[in-house]
């Protein structure tokens, strides 16, 4: 789950529009894959970041890999939730 404070940000993943936050993200990328994040919302600075598929071990996939001998390319997962706090655009004129 990708959330923003405040909610309602336009979410772009790898340069493509994905939806409005909160957004339930799913993919089948392999270990070490990185996803670029851009979040836009009127009145707030554009947020740029990324997350990688190496944040949390998937014990079931690891055990399956040992016993079934399939590749270990899906043994890592994302954190179940991430929240990005958007910063208001400064109106100070210096």
């Amino acid at each position: 789950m990708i959330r923003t404070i405040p909610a309602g940000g336009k979410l772009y993943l790898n340069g493509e529009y994905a939806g409005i936050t909160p957004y339930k993200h799913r993919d089948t990328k392999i270990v070490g894959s990185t996803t670029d994040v851009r979040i836009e919302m009127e009145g707030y600075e554009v947020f740029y970041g990324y997350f990688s598929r190496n944040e949390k071990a998937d014990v079931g996939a690891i055990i399956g890999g040992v016993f079934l001998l399939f590749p270990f390319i899906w043994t890592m997962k994302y954190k179940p939730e991430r929240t990005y706090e958007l910063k208001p655009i400064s109106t100070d004129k210096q």
Side-chain angles (χ1 to χ4, degrees):
M1 184 63 70
I2 300 172
R3 301 179 190 278
T4 57
I5 300 172
K10 292 180 182 177
L11 176 65
Y12 297 83
L13 300 175
N14 293 326
E16 294 187 23
Y17 178 74
I20 301 293
T21 61
Y23 177 81
K24 188 171 186 174
H25 176 68
R26 291 180 175 243
D27 68 30
T28 56
K29 291 183 176 182
I30 62 173
V31 171
S33 298
T34 300
T35 301
D36 293 319
V37 176
R38 183 175 88 235
I39 302 170
E40 299 177 357
M41 188 172 192
E42 190 172 328
Y44 291 84
E45 295 178 13
V46 176
F47 173 86
Y48 294 96
Y50 68 93
F51 55 88
S52 298
R53 190 177 193 103
N54 62 359
E55 299 169 334
K56 184 178 176 186
D58 184 342
V59 177
I62 293 170
I63 292 170
V66 169
F67 291 108
L68 301 176
L69 302 176
F70 67 82
F72 288 90
I73 57 178
W74 289 283
T75 58
M76 299 298 286
K77 301 190 297 186
Y78 299 111
K79 292 178 184 176
E81 188 171 313
R82 61 189 71 250
T83 301
Y84 302 107
E85 187 167 352
L86 304 179
K87 295 180 182 179
I89 293 174
S90 177
T91 57
D92 294 338
K93 295 187 180 189
Q94 299 176 8

